[in-house]
Amino acid sequence: MIQSIDYYAVAPLLVLALTGGLVLLLDAFLPRGPYARPALGAVTLAGVLAALGVVVSQAFRAGEAMRTFCVPDGLAGVAGAAPGSPDLVASAAPSGAQLGAASGALWGASPQAPPATVPCSFVVDDFTLIFAGLALAAGVIVVLLSMAQLASGEIPVGEWYFLLLCTLTGAVALPASRDLIMLVVALELVSLPVFALTALRRYDGRSSEAAVKLFLVSVVSTAVMLFGVSLLYGVTGTVYLERLAQILREPLTGTPLTGTTAPGAAQPPGTGAFTAPQGHEAFTGPSGHEALTGGRLSETLAGADGSGAYVSSLHIAYDPPPVLTVAVVLVLAGFAFKIAAVPFHAWAGDVYQGAPVPVAALLSVISKAAGFAGVILILAGALGGQAGTWVPLVAIIAALTMTVGNLLALRQRHAVRLLAWSSVAQSGYILAPLGVHDDEATSASIAYLVFYAAMNLGAFAVVMLVSRSRPRNELDDYRGLAFRNPVAGVALVFFLVCLAGLPPGLAGMFAKIVVFRELVGGGGAWLAAVMAVNTVIGLYYYVAWAVRILTPVPVGEGSGAEAGGGRTGWVPVGIAIALAGGVALVFSLAPQVVLDLLPEALVASG
Amino acid sequence: MSWVLIALLGVPLAGAAVLLVPSRPAPSGTRTKAGTETNAGTETGTSTGAETGGGVGTGTGAGAGTGTGAGPGGGTGTNTGTRTSTGAGGDAGGRLLRTHALVVSGVTFGLSLILVAAFGGDAAGARFSTDLAWVPGLDLRFHIGVDGVSLPLVVLTTLLTFLCFVYLCWGRADGPGQLLQPKPGGGRPRALVFTLLVLEVGMIGTFLALDLLLFFVFFEIVLIPMYFVIAIWGGRARRAAAIKFILYTLLGSVVLLLGLLFVWAQTGTLDMVALARAHGAGMSRSAQVLAFVAVGIGLAVKTPMWPLHTWLPAAHTEAPTVGSVLLAGVLLKMGTYGFARIAIPILPEGAAAVAPWLGAFAVIGIIYGSLACLAQRDLKRMIAYSSIGHMGFVLLGFATLTPVGVNAALFGNVAHGLITGLLFFVVGAIKERYGTADISALGGGMLGRLPRLASLLTFACVASLGLPGLAGFWGEMLALLGAFEPAPGLPRSLYLTFMAIGGLGAVLTAAYFLVMLSRVTHGRSIEIVHAPLLASAGGAGQAAGDVTAGDVTAGDVTAGDVTGSVTAEDITAGGVTAGGVTAGGVTAEDVTGSVTAEDVTAGGVMGGVTVGGEDDGPAVPAHARAGRMRDVTGYELAAWVPLVALILLLGLWPKVLLSATDPVVQSLLGVP
């Protein structure tokens, strides 16, 4: 069948993808003139800006959220009656089809089936727009930094920009994804090109090591997450986040038949044949999982035959099946890798340091934003009903992440490494609001993320500038930067103070206030206390760095060293610094700009 | 009239912003001048900050041709030619900067006087308020206003800042402690002025804010400038002291933020006026206690209250004179002001529950501060600890929760700002002259050698120990009186104990000040002229060599540090005839056996020149060039006299202040 696609909704993706192709073609066919590199950069920049323009135009478009890639009309009736049906995607897999048939039959028999809304895979709403806008704006900075990075000529240009655009495509697609499959695919689209980007600086041991590390960690995390996702699918029989939210919420509201679906479908697709298209047999399903579910279920299943089983299954229904908890934990672990949350943070330092600076900036902002978009979509969006399971877990992860990140950052002497660990700590702050269950929590996270993106990109831009002339890039290389290059020095001090969250860096301070407010209001007092202590720890290393910048260098020691360094390619970095600085300044003076952008209520939460 | 408040914030801010703009080309400007000099004072200097802060006798006048020299960090002595050219190059810009600083702070002070003049009449309720939405998403409003509690503190802030600039800028601005003179390796005058102006904005804003979050924002704004004042222009251990200061106070303010947000979560508003009017309505008792503890801890770090005070002595000791003055005079007041403005009126039940604890910590602080003072050897450190004691009295006043006690606290606040400001000025001046603030190293007999300076020191100490008739008296006396009869509901017997202990503390206060005075100003006049060459130099150990009774020992001379010079005439004037001169490491062409050499260019002489002995007699003129000990100079007098006058005024006529605070205190405490 043919489904209609809203091309306006997917336009940013198309623009990015097509630009990526164009860059690759141009790289292949453009004569190797001196202007080839800047030209490709300009094309990339234009593509990113065009995509950003489309996103902005979408943002100004009033009205409903745009939805596309929906279940076609022809299937809508079935899907509507059977929200558990995994339709298109699942029908590709034979075992899934059986399962779908099973639960579909169940749902078909259910008179209490909720009214149908057509589930869609791609939704452009406020949430999508803010993340897409964030990714693209950060993309502009990263492209500008790349221009400087590529000016030296040891990295193939076409591949670099192509991979960069692929990552951006993924980052824009991810917040719009509203089904599990697309979510995973988009997340991989964000991650995969980054390995290659990291490794593009050939014959550099550190780069290669970083790439391999990133690759291994990312693949493992993807596998873990896929396992969780497949469990989720198995439990609920749907991949659509909306449906997931509905189904997982219903058992708690006590609709018997909905409840029966969950344990019935809890079987892995491989044993799908075991599930006959009859309700009663479905109840026997969990008994096959005694080892997994433990003794708790066994007593309720003691008389599991006939109508007695039906009654006892009601009790099961009121408890979420344990396998769901496993699924939630696995998915969370998968995302924790991506956002470098403790205990899956160890890769951050080496990878950031080994990768070229623009890639580190990309990892710390774009890739991280994508990860958080995924976390929020799955946790708050789809698993809102399971908040009891993941809220304490997220709170603990957040507390650990900020503490470990800060403590590790304390001892760093390398600028990028310090930023790496500090961005791990910042991940903790972003995650913290999700650790208290509240409707506003996601807004606080997103707000912090937006503030953080501006500050951190700015810091990376200055680091990029310094790394041109001082490749060692240790903190001591920043001594006296404010006197060698006043603009860059003052800008970096400003960004660092922002990250520390002190005036005059009001942006960072307001960001922290937003999070603190959420924690205090939502009853996460202990988390707020942990974060308070962490703010102080963080201040120490940010200020120590800032002081280095402002400390004059003894005459004759430093002033000559920078003259030999790369003077080329500072213009785009300068523009990047100016952009980030301007944005951070605006955020400082009028933080309402960010707070106005926040989505009213989270998608798929209803 | 609300424009006055806006202007109070806007003028120093604009003044600071103006400085930011042309400071950019400064480094390139110096670079073209072959790097031997710094006119904007931004370029050179060792990282350890070899500032020739104590270059007292060097280069005072145009005629200071005799081997005065403060070389660049590079370390070779400079001839007078480059020296004068630096002076000429930097002077035009320097004078402009000084004028700028004086005008901006003067206008700000003038505005605060206009505010006083326009204030008049009934002092209760916020006046001249401005209320604009700033961040609706956070419920943060730009809501400022002034009332009888904040007005004296605003005036105190603008006055002290202005006096600090007078101290820094008066005259040629090359006296001791005047950091604005462009010096190689030191100075950075433009940055100092900028920092102090931003600091002023933060301080004034804190006292004007009527929105909890806005209060917090201003409360935080002072941190970074104060940090840099300590870290850049401070003494030897400044880096550690500055870090300690900022980490401690930030920890406090984060806890404060949590408390404020908790209040907000409970009541749904950030408006201080509305919250104070509600007197805690809408918050349960336990919530109030929790909020009070959080807010109280945050404020107590800044105040500082006894167990949370440890950042203070280090910060005070290492800060430059103006930094100490503002730190003690104003920054500490932000903590106590928070108690009067936020903690007590907004959370009355919490205050009632926690007040005995607050009182207990306060009296512990009084006793602890006094005892610590008795044990101190460093003058600045001693005054820092005395601040802890005085803040104990202020907190004791708050802990009574009576109008008398709170009035006493507010009075003590302002009085302490004036007196301790003066004390730090005077002690700073002593330190600049002697090169040390160590009490035993200072010797005694200052009244004989520097009669006016010693008199001022005596006056400030006597005011600080609470002599009736001076400003320090009323705060302590009223606080003890308040403790005699605490608010109903508080355990009176406990407060009587507090009162007794506090009284004992007052006696101890008198004891340590008098002991210190007897050791420093009185006694035998042993002349120890510590060559003030390196008063604030960092690096190697101090006091390596003394010139003692005809012995010139330039022991630990490391060439390549800051250069100073000891002209021979002075030493001979000091009655030193060519004794044994040990010049270890000096390229000793100049240092001959007899100290008749024209120049002893001792690169990095650490230490002092102890001249004289028992019968120095007239042979040691105090104006000897090397250990030049000018008595109180013009710029110092200009900065200090207003403080002296105000201390007398408030001491003799306390009603001036009490009539302003009392109506507000009555309404804040909800007294019918």
Side-chain angles (χ1 to χ4, degrees), chain A residues 483 502 517 532 547 555 589 592, chain B residues 42 44 134 136-137 220 227 254 264:
Chain A
F483 306 105
L502 274 187
R517 179 182 72 163
V547 167
V555 187
L589 297 176
Q592 188 59 30
Chain B
T42 47
T44 57
W134 183 6
E220 294 281 275
Y227 172 83
V254 175
W264 182 34

Side-chain angles (χ1 to χ4, degrees), chain B residues 255-626:
Chain B
V255 177
L256 171 69
L257 174 64
L258 293 183
L260 298 182
L261 289 176
F262 185 68
V263 170
W264 182 34
Q266 296 284 319
T267 60
T269 178
L270 285 168
D271 186 2
M272 283 194 209
V273 180
L275 283 168
R277 207 180 294 127
H279 287 298
M283 291 184 76
S284 68
R285 189 185 139 82
S286 56
Q288 283 201 27
V289 172
L290 188 63
F292 189 90
V293 168
V295 173
I297 288 177
L299 296 170
V301 170
K302 198 80 151 200
T303 304
M305 195 173 72
W306 161 61
L308 306 171
H309 67 278
T310 51
W311 61 271
L312 182 89
H316 268 312
T317 313
E318 298 307 327
T321 301
V322 286
S324 296
V325 169
L326 290 178
L327 189 58
V330 185
L331 257 69
L332 305 190
K333 310 301 172 288
M334 289 164 48
T336 46
Y337 173 78
F339 276 106
R341 173 67 66 194
I342 297 174
I344 292 175
I346 292 179
L347 307 160
E349 284 183 54
V354 184
W357 291 96
L358 189 63
F361 282 126
V363 292
I364 293 176
I366 295 173
I367 296 295
Y368 174 86
S370 312
L371 291 178
C373 279
L374 276 173
Q376 292 311 310
R377 294 168 51 85
D378 186 287
L379 267 184
K380 279 188 114 173
R381 224 178 161 76
M382 196 198 96
I383 295 167
Y385 274 110
S386 85
S387 288
I388 296 169
H390 288 115
M391 286 294 127
F393 279 106
V394 171
L395 289 176
L396 181 62
F398 284 129
T400 62
L401 299 181
T402 57
V404 174
V406 175
N407 271 322
L410 293 171
F411 191 95
N413 233 357
V414 175
H416 176 261
L418 294 171
I419 296 171
T420 310
L422 181 60
L423 264 176
F424 272 115
F425 266 135
V426 173
V427 170
I430 292 172
K431 189 172 179 178
E432 299 290 352
R433 282 172 171 73
Y434 283 79
T436 178
D438 189 76
I439 293 176
S440 56
L442 287 175
M446 194 191 287
L447 269 173
R449 300 186 59 218
L450 303 167
R452 281 181 285 174
L453 189 62
S455 309
L456 276 167
L457 177 67
T458 311
F459 174 80
C461 288
V462 167
S464 187
L465 64 82
L467 189 76
L470 296 177
F473 170 69
W474 297 106
E476 296 188 10
M477 197 278 283
L478 288 174
L480 294 178
L481 188 66
F484 182 68
E485 200 163 2
L490 295 177
R492 180 150 188 248
S493 56
L494 184 66
Y495 274 79
L496 285 179
T497 317
F498 289 166
M499 189 189 76
I501 301 176
L504 185 65
V507 175
L508 282 174
T509 308
Y512 67 74
F513 269 122
L514 293 177
V515 166
M516 185 273 281
L517 281 178
S518 74
R519 291 175 64 186
V520 173
T521 58
H522 294 67
R524 213 168 41 151
S525 172
I526 298 173
E527 301 286 342
I528 300 178
V529 186
H530 278 267
L533 307 171
L534 285 161
S536 56
Q542 213 183 5
D546 284 353
V547 181
T548 315
D551 258 347
V552 178
T553 316
D556 196 351
V557 177
T558 48
D561 240 329
V562 179
T563 56
S565 69
V566 182
T567 51
E569 301 95 75
D570 311 325
I571 296 179
T572 34
V576 182
T577 50
V581 177
T582 325
V586 178
T587 48
E589 244 173 46
D590 298 332
V591 188
T592 56
S594 62
V595 199
T596 47
E598 199 177 308
D599 258 350
V600 183
T601 313
V605 176
M606 311 282 175
V609 185
T610 313
V611 186
E614 289 78 4
D615 54 348
D616 46 333
V620 183
H623 342 280
R625 286 202 51 83

Side-chain angles (χ1 to χ4, degrees), chain B residues 199-238:
Chain B
L199 190 63
E200 186 177 18
V201 174
M203 296 186 297
I204 296 176
T206 309
F207 296 133
L208 292 183
L210 289 178
D211 181 285
L212 288 181
L213 268 187
L214 188 68
F215 174 86
F216 178 75
V217 169
F218 280 120
F219 199 80
E220 294 281 275
I221 282 181
V222 302
L223 284 184
I224 293 274
M226 198 65 210
Y227 172 83
F228 282 117
V229 167
I230 299 174
I232 295 182
W233 294 276
R236 206 161 352 120
R238 54 180 186 255

Side-chain angles (χ1 to χ4, degrees), chain A residues 483 502-503 506 509-510 513-514 516-517 520 528 532 536 539-540 543 547 550 552-555 589 591-592 595, chain B residues 31 42-44 134-138 140 188 216-217 220-221 224 227-228 243 247 250-251 254 257-258 261-262 264:
Chain A
F483 306 105
L502 274 187
L506 290 174
M509 187 171 140
F510 285 126
I513 288 179
V514 169
F516 272 129
R517 179 182 72 163
V520 171
V536 178
L539 177 79
Y540 177 79
V543 164
V547 167
L550 294 173
V553 186
V555 187
L589 297 176
Q592 188 59 30
L595 301 177
Chain B
R31 203 171 289 151
T42 47
E43 186 79 355
T44 57
W134 183 6
V135 191
L138 284 174
L140 169 57
R188 287 200 256 169
F216 178 75
V217 169
E220 294 281 275
I221 282 181
I224 293 274
Y227 172 83
F228 282 117
I243 278 285
L247 291 186
L250 185 77
L251 185 59
V254 175
L257 174 64
L258 293 183
L261 289 176
F262 185 68
W264 182 34

Side-chain angles (χ1 to χ4, degrees), chain A residues 309-388:
Chain A
Y310 184 83
V311 174
S312 64
S313 75
L314 281 178
H315 298 285
I316 303 169
Y318 280 92
D319 277 339
V323 69
L324 194 59
T325 309
V326 175
V328 171
V329 171
L330 287 178
V331 170
L332 195 56
F335 276 110
F337 270 112
K338 302 282 181 200
I339 58 176
V342 171
F344 309 113
H345 63 287
W347 57 274
D350 288 343
V351 170
Y352 279 55
Q353 189 185 355
V357 177
V359 176
L362 184 146
L363 275 172
S364 83
V365 174
I366 297 178
S367 166
K368 187 164 281 185
F372 274 108
V375 168
I376 292 172
L377 275 178
I378 288 216
L379 290 188
L383 299 174
Q386 307 311 115

Side-chain angles (χ1 to χ4, degrees), chain A residues 153-230:
Chain A
E154 56 190 3
I155 298 177
V157 185
E159 287 89 328
W160 175 284
Y161 285 126
F162 171 72
L163 292 167
L164 193 57
L165 285 166
C166 285
T167 301
L168 280 177
T169 311
V172 173
L174 195 134
S177 320
R178 297 303 146 86
D179 74 46
L180 291 173
I181 310 292
M182 182 147 167
L183 205 59
V184 172
V185 169
L187 196 60
E188 283 313 291
L189 191 55
V190 176
S191 312
L192 281 169
V194 179
F195 318 145
L197 277 176
T198 308
L200 265 188
R201 199 163 58 189
R202 280 168 290 191
Y203 314 117
D204 180 335
R206 269 191 186 285
S207 262
S208 311
E209 184 196 335
V212 169
K213 249 180 201 161
L214 186 59
F215 175 72
L216 289 177
V217 167
S218 190
V219 165
V220 168
S221 74
T222 306
V224 168
M225 188 166 49
L226 272 176
F227 189 26
V229 163
S230 66

